[in-house]
Amino acid sequence: MACLRAVGRRVSGRVGRSGCASHVPCRGGGGAVVAFLLSLFLVLPLVLVALPVDRASAAPVDLGPDGYFSTLGAGALPVASGNWASTRRIVFGKQGSAGTYGGATVSGGYKTLAKGAVASVPDADFGQNQAWTKSATTSVAANEALLWADDTVTSGISFDANYPPSNSFDSAAGAYRSNLALVSDAVGAVNYSSFEQSLLRAAPVEGVCTAAQPVGCGSGSYTQQSDSVNAYQVFPLSIGDVNKYFNHTSGGASDANLACPTGSCANGIFAFWLRSAHWYYTNIAFTVLSGGSTSDDTTFFTSSGLRPAVRLGLEQLVLSADSGDQGQNTSGDLRLTYVEPGKQLHTWSASVSGAAGSRALSLSGSSDLGSDMGWKVVDPATNMVLGSGRTSAGGNMALPESLMPDVSKDYDLYVWGQQDGSATTGLTNRATEPVKTTIKGWKVKTPPSYGIDVTGTTSGGLKAYKIGDYTDTVFDHTGALGSVKLTTPAGLVSVLLAAAGVAGGVGVDAGNPIGWVASHWLGYPTSPLSDDVTSAFSPYAGSLQLFARALAGDTASLGPVAGSLPAGTFSSLSTVVLPVSGPGLYLVVDDSQASGGSLPIIVGTRVFNPVLDGGDGRMVDFADAGVKGKPRLGRASLKTSITDVAKRVVNDAGMDGFDLGAAVEYEIALQVPDLSSFASLPYSSYVFDLTDVADPGLTLPAVSGVRVLMDVPSPGTDVTGTAGLSVGVSGDTLSVSGLKAVFAEDVSGRVANKASVPVGSLIRIRYAAVLNTGASLSAPGGGGLHPNVNTATLTRSRVAGVSSGWDDAGPGVESRSAVANAYVFGLDLVKVDKDDTTRVLGGAGFEVTRDGQPLGFVQLAPGVYRLAVPGDAGALSEVFSHTDGTLSLQGVEARALSLRESTAPSGYFKVPAFMVEVLPVWNTDASEVTLASYRAHGTSLAFVSQDGRAVMVADPAHSLANLPYTGGVGILILLVLAILFLVFAVRPYYLSHRAETTANILS
């Protein structure tokens, strides 16, 4: 049994994996040639089978090397292995005195003491070699840097503001924190932007006294030390750090590496505190004087300030570059650019301008951070940043030409949206996730951008959250998507597993819940078929919708926003691309759902196939997307909440209509009403019934094909057999009477809500109708839009006047209707002469396929064909144009048809194969088509007519001017014929000439 193993399950058999060939050596010249030629015939089919299969795998966002930190190895100690002066200065946090702690002047300058991982040394000594002079050093985690300010950032402060003072940094006793610890926290909260604060790791610091404040530490041994009780983002260094990170082992001697600039600290102070206690005295702690000599002081004195250290995470660092123009200068201050989680680059374009010696990058775009952009060029062989810059004022845009000498090489180019930091808010730049492409021969290759086409209307904004990753992608022989494995992102397993349980999932894969959800609920059937694939399209209920709602209720657990569109984007009917961070499965949430906006949507992106269209690549979907309820990738329609009665088609995932003979699945959704105002109405008099009337082009199912479902007590509970409920089908009318039995009960002769069925619960009526040969057809270009209409009418009791929006249906009752439209399309072609388009051509034959499968037709009249439906005998595989050149194909959905001219009119060449699509445009709530048009591609000889009502197909007449349109084979045939003609024409002359020569010799 064939099965659509797509998202969630892998295809087990792949094209081109089973073929093999044995090569046997042959002897002898002639035999070898024959064997070689035979081997070509044997191998060629295998090559043709194996070549079309291509693979691709998704990868996490690539930030590339940053520049400075990427040149430091793990465990690097720049100052200790060199010196302070030679270590690059990094600007970080605020500069000046605006908005700083206490209004103190700060330089904003930091230098790197270490790049992790570096473990803490428990007993580092700065040169005194005494038990009271040692302490543990600050540990640095992997992919983290320890930075230390080049000057103090406060005025004079005490280590301990209490009296009598102690040298306890913090303590669990009484939740004590020293003044130095409190100021460290206060500086961390004020001197850096909130974005910069998110980059700093808060953790305990080593080598401190944690005794109760009145006690302190003073027994004369560093063994009293411990890690701090509290976590700190900003902190003073320890006395042990002086040894570890500055290689200072000379005791109290001055050390230029430790000194304040020019030997004088900022803010008029003469020293700065270290966090370690003097282990001999309970009220003494270590300091460093402005000139760089280590000392100690009474913790109550205010002669020292804070010179802060921070542990800076490097995970999201995209660039370290010159603080001025963001270039890659070898000296000067550096500024850092970090990716802000969830921020995306929406559009961008890049090109190279200028001649040799003055080439520059032209870059523009838009992102969540505005229109300014950042960039870097990386040598993939050395993993070195060659050049970088930004588009904002004063930024570098010159390419590093001297470092890019090989014009045949692909140099990596990263671009991102950027918001520059500032001295008053924090100097670190914010960036979106970068996109990666290449520069080769001074041309920029544009990489694929991923997005979801969203159609509909809402007052709210949309946010997308990635909930599934694509891996192990396989393409089929046509280049379409063959299979892709869906995996659960790290960190979301428990969240998705819990949501699947809330939605009623049983036996969910605990290791890969999103793969399980996709294969069971998202419309990607497995073998045997799964239980609820249609819930992918139901806007009202079903397991998938319940799963989506559970996730949408706690989006904070889903990680950063992976794409967004602002409120107002869909104020009127629109189709807009929602950009997302990359390939995968997404949850799309409307922030106005509570006020009537769209329900949450789960949709996957299409996949980029890089080998198509000459190697530039394009996005592809499954070849059978939209068939039998299989969703289209990269397309979604906004789904509004139900009010009282609603109806829609739920298996038109691609929003492209249906073929004749196809089953159209309908869902009618009703809300359980509040019966509290009906206390005076007898149960027997209460009415809640439904009728559904179909157009003649739809054949309703038998009664057994109608299901009545409720979302309580569990999703999809089948209540069709409830006593008192009756389903009937007669002609074009389906009726469901006694619906009150599922939610109402007789309480002392009066109608009342059942306690087990809450008010507002959903009742869903599901059935499938078949589009018969009498179905109405719609045509593009003003040819007429004629939906096949189904109208559902709910009739219910009322106790007073007619409710707003309802119709008076007689004494004591009111009614309201909802309509659903099913579309079947036709397309018209006209065959003409390429050189005289007024001349029509009859007798042209075509074979029509869709997704590689041939379609059969029944002829209705000359040049008019209808798609064959089950039961038709003698379906035709070839259709022919009428003598007036027209060819009408009726009864197909609006998907691309491939036409191959099998028979050309006499005196004409065949046109190359081409494709024709019908493109419907839907109204606000995606319930009605308002416009349809054609699109033709594959050859310039197939094009849309000026009035848009037909596709013109122009055949080239047999002439020398049209020889190129025959293609290589046709020309080859003519060349062969010409050669044969020459052979037969020249041979008599050659024989005659040889005979004459022979006669002359004899004579």
Side-chain angles (χ1 to χ4, degrees):
M1 173 181 176
C3 57
L4 305 177
R5 298 180 186 269
V7 175
R9 305 288 176 94
R10 280 293 307 275
V11 175
S12 57
R14 295 189 179 88
V15 178
R17 289 291 174 188
S18 59
C20 61
S22 298
H23 300 277
V24 181
C26 301
R27 294 184 180 181
V33 172
V34 172
F36 174 74
L37 292 175
L38 287 175
S39 70
L40 287 179
F41 286 103
L42 291 173
V43 172
L44 183 59
L46 299 176
V47 173
L48 292 176
V49 171
L51 278 179
V53 177
D54 299 299
R55 295 178 177 272
S57 295
V61 176
D62 181 5
L63 301 184
D66 68 276
Y68 172 68
F69 284 105
S70 57
T71 64
L72 301 179
L77 307 176
V79 177
S81 59
N83 57 61
W84 183 265
S86 64
T87 303
R88 294 293 293 271
R89 183 176 185 267
I90 296 169
V91 290
F92 185 79
K94 298 180 181 180
Q95 277 184 341
S97 58
T100 61
Y101 175 74
T105 300
V106 297
S107 71
Y110 290 76
K111 294 204 176 186
T112 306
L113 301 186
K115 180 183 177 183
V118 179
S120 176
V121 177
D123 56 356
D125 188 273
F126 72 103
Q128 298 292 92
N129 297 314
Q130 300 294 323
W132 50 268
T133 64
K134 298 179 181 180
S135 81
T137 63
T138 304
S139 62
V140 187
N143 209 19
E144 179 179 80
L146 175 63
L147 304 185
W148 193 45
D150 63 2
D151 208 336
T152 56
V153 299
T154 67
S155 57
I157 58 172
S158 63
F159 189 105
D160 181 14
N162 296 283
Y163 195 86
S166 77
N167 52 18
S168 182
F169 188 73
D170 61 7
S171 174
Y176 168 74
R177 303 179 78 181
S178 67
N179 187 55
L180 182 60
L182 292 172
V183 171
S184 295
D185 274 353
V187 166
V190 175
N191 282 26
Y192 310 91
S193 68
S194 58
F195 177 59
E196 289 172 322
Q197 292 173 42
S198 71
L199 307 174
L200 305 179
R201 179 165 67 98
V205 289
E206 303 88 346
V208 299
C209 173
T210 56
Q213 189 277 329
V215 178
C217 297
S219 66
S221 173
Y222 71 92
T223 56
Q224 297 176 82
Q225 72 177 343
S226 62
D227 294 350
S228 65
V229 173
N230 299 287
Y232 297 90
Q233 283 185 313
V234 175
F235 49 87
L237 294 179
S238 72
I239 187 65
D241 290 335
V242 171
N243 174 310
K244 177 69 176 179
Y245 297 116
F246 298 89
N247 197 26
H248 180 88
T249 57
S250 55
S254 296
D255 189 332
N257 289 341
L258 298 171
C260 288
T262 66
S264 175
C265 296
N267 305 307
I269 56 178
F270 305 99
F272 48 87
W273 290 107
L274 300 178
R275 65 176 183 262
S276 299
H278 187 300
W279 305 109
Y280 194 80
Y281 299 107
T282 60
N283 64 340
I284 302 294
F286 284 102
T287 63
V288 176
L289 300 178
S290 59
S293 58
T294 56
S295 183
D296 51 56
D297 209 342
T298 303
T299 54
F300 188 72
F301 288 174
T302 58
S303 56
S304 299
L306 173 65
R307 187 171 175 180
V310 297
R311 286 180 284 205
L312 178 67
L314 303 177
E315 290 85 357
Q316 296 299 313
L317 179 62
V318 69
L319 185 66
S320 305
D322 183 86
S323 63
D325 65 2
Q326 201 160 295
Q328 285 296 307
N329 298 325
T330 58
S331 62
D333 292 349
L334 295 171
R335 187 181 297 194
L336 308 180
T337 302
Y338 274 86
V339 171
E340 183 173 3
K343 298 302 182 183
Q344 301 294 319
L345 181 61
H346 302 316
T347 61
W348 69 277
S349 63
S351 60
V352 177
S353 60
S358 60
R359 290 189 175 97
L361 184 68
S362 298
L363 181 64
S364 63
S366 64
S367 75
D368 292 334
L369 298 176
S371 59
D372 290 335
M373 306 279 286
W375 63 274
K376 65 181 176 183
V377 173
V378 174
D379 187 331
T382 63
N383 203 39
M384 296 288 289
V385 178
L386 305 180
S388 60
R390 54 185 169 82
T391 61
S392 55
N396 173 58
M397 298 303 292
L399 288 168
E401 290 186 65
S402 63
L403 302 177
M404 303 170 64
D406 189 349
V407 295
S408 65
K409 183 176 181 178
D410 286 314
Y411 293 94
D412 293 334
L413 172 65
Y414 296 79
V415 300
W416 55 84
Q418 179 169 316
Q419 188 174 95
D420 297 340
S422 70
T424 56
T425 61
L427 291 159
T428 301
N429 304 322
R430 296 190 296 157
T432 66
E433 290 183 355
V435 295
K436 180 183 178 182
T437 184
T438 58
I439 294 181
K440 180 179 181 180
W442 308 113
K443 291 185 178 180
V444 177
K445 182 177 181 180
T446 304
S449 58
Y450 291 88
I452 298 165
D453 293 336
V454 181
T455 300
T457 181
T458 177
S459 62
L462 303 183
K463 289 184 173 64
Y465 300 87
K466 194 172 188 181
I467 58 173
D469 292 320
Y470 289 167
T471 60
D472 298 338
T473 305
V474 176
F475 302 107
D476 68 15
H477 66 284
T478 68
L481 185 59
S483 71
V484 60
K485 183 178 180 181
L486 189 67
T487 61
T488 305
L492 295 187
V493 174
S494 60
V495 175
L496 300 184
L497 188 62
V502 170
V506 177
V508 181
D509 186 341
N512 185 20
I514 199 63
W516 187 95
V517 166
S519 63
H520 285 75
W521 298 338
L522 190 54
Y524 295 97
T526 57
S527 178
L529 292 179
S530 50
D531 54 356
D532 191 20
V533 297
T534 55
S535 73
F537 318 116
S538 170
Y540 310 120
S543 300
L544 186 74
Q545 180 55 221
L546 296 178
F547 175 72
R549 291 186 198 182
L551 294 177
D554 184 20
T555 55
S557 300
L558 300 179
V561 175
S564 63
L565 289 171
T569 303
F570 297 95
S571 57
S572 60
L573 176 63
S574 307
T575 297
V576 180
V577 176
L578 170 61
V580 293
S581 58
L585 192 70
Y586 289 84
L587 171 74
V588 180
V589 179
D590 183 348
D591 59 21
S592 68
Q593 183 191 339
S595 57
S598 176
L599 296 169
I601 305 164
I602 292 178
V603 59
T605 65
R606 292 188 295 166
V607 178
F608 184 71
N609 188 340
V611 304
L612 293 179
D613 300 333
D616 292 332
R618 59 181 168 85
M619 295 292 179
V620 296
D621 199 346
F622 294 103
D624 57 350
V627 177
K628 296 181 180 179
K630 189 171 183 179
R632 291 285 184 93
L633 295 176
R635 294 175 62 177
S637 59
L638 298 174
K639 302 172 180 180
T640 54
S641 305
I642 182 177
T643 51
D644 295 302
V645 56
K647 181 176 183 179
R648 71 186 279 150
V649 174
V650 296
N651 65 331
D652 187 10
M655 300 177 68
D656 41 25
F658 298 89
D659 287 336
L660 286 180
V664 183
E665 187 167 359
Y666 293 96
E667 179 174 271
I668 303 166
L670 313 169
Q671 279 189 317
V672 171
D674 183 354
L675 300 178
S676 59
S677 61
F678 289 79
S680 62
L681 188 68
Y683 179 84
S684 59
S685 300
Y686 180 72
V687 176
F688 197 86
D689 299 328
L690 183 93
T691 58
D692 191 24
V693 179
D695 272 0
L698 286 159
T699 302
L700 294 174
V703 170
S704 60
V706 182
R707 293 187 301 156
V708 182
L709 309 172
M710 292 203 69
D711 61 354
V712 290
S714 61
T717 301
D718 195 325
V719 295
T720 312
T722 302
L725 187 153
S726 175
V727 177
V729 177
S730 178
D732 62 356
T733 303
L734 181 153
S735 60
V736 185
S737 58
L739 277 167
K740 64 182 180 182
V742 303
F743 63 85
E745 59 184 351
D746 189 334
V747 178
S748 301
R750 303 298 176 184
V751 66
N753 287 102
K754 290 181 179 180
S756 59
V757 184
V759 173
S761 298
L762 287 180
I763 304 170
R764 295 185 292 135
I765 300 167
R766 298 289 289 265
Y767 70 89
V770 175
L771 285 158
N772 57 50
T773 56
S776 299
L777 305 179
S778 298
L785 298 173
H786 306 290
N788 297 276
V789 182
N790 252 17
T791 304
T793 302
L794 173 65
T795 301
R796 70 181 186 183
S797 293
R798 55 185 171 90
V799 293
V802 177
S803 303
S804 176
W806 289 70
D807 297 322
D808 190 341
V813 290
E814 60 189 7
S815 63
R816 188 170 187 173
S817 298
V819 172
N821 299 308
Y823 288 87
V824 182
F825 295 91
L827 57 92
D828 295 307
L829 291 85
V830 180
K831 288 291 295 184
V832 295
D833 186 312
K834 167 185 166 292
D835 301 312
D836 181 5
T837 56
T838 63
R839 176 180 295 176
V840 296
L841 304 176
F846 291 91
E847 293 174 349
V848 184
T849 61
R850 182 171 58 202
D851 300 326
Q853 301 298 315
L855 299 183
F857 292 87
V858 173
Q859 187 171 15
L860 304 180
V864 181
Y865 297 84
R866 170 181 58 77
L867 184 70
V869 299
D872 283 338
L876 303 173
S877 60
E878 189 176 20
V879 294
F880 291 88
S881 62
H882 185 36
T883 54
D884 64 1
T886 60
L887 174 60
S888 179
L889 303 178
Q890 301 178 355
V892 294
E893 62 178 300
R895 292 173 62 204
L897 298 182
S898 179
L899 288 91
R900 186 184 71 85
E901 190 169 9
S902 51
T903 303
S906 178
Y908 288 85
F909 294 114
K910 300 174 185 176
V911 299
F914 60 95
M915 300 186 78
V916 177
E917 292 180 80
V918 175
L919 305 175
V921 176
W922 294 80
N923 69 343
T924 302
D925 60 358
S927 63
E928 185 177 1
V929 175
T930 58
L931 178 69
S933 60
Y934 286 116
R935 179 168 62 190
H937 50 93
T939 173
S940 60
L941 297 177
F943 53 93
V944 180
S945 64
Q946 287 188 347
D947 62 8
R949 293 185 175 229
V951 173
M952 314 298 288
V953 184
D955 278 14
H958 287 170
S959 68
L960 290 177
N962 288 323
L963 275 180
Y965 290 98
T966 66
V969 174
I971 294 174
L972 179 61
I973 291 173
L974 290 176
L975 289 173
V976 171
L977 291 175
I979 292 169
L980 290 175
F981 171 79
L982 287 173
V983 169
F984 284 103
V986 170
R987 188 172 184 273
Y989 168 78
Y990 170 76
L991 292 176
S992 173
H993 180 71
R994 188 177 68 172
E996 180 180 352
T997 302
T998 302
N1000 290 335
I1001 292 173
L1002 291 175
S1003 62

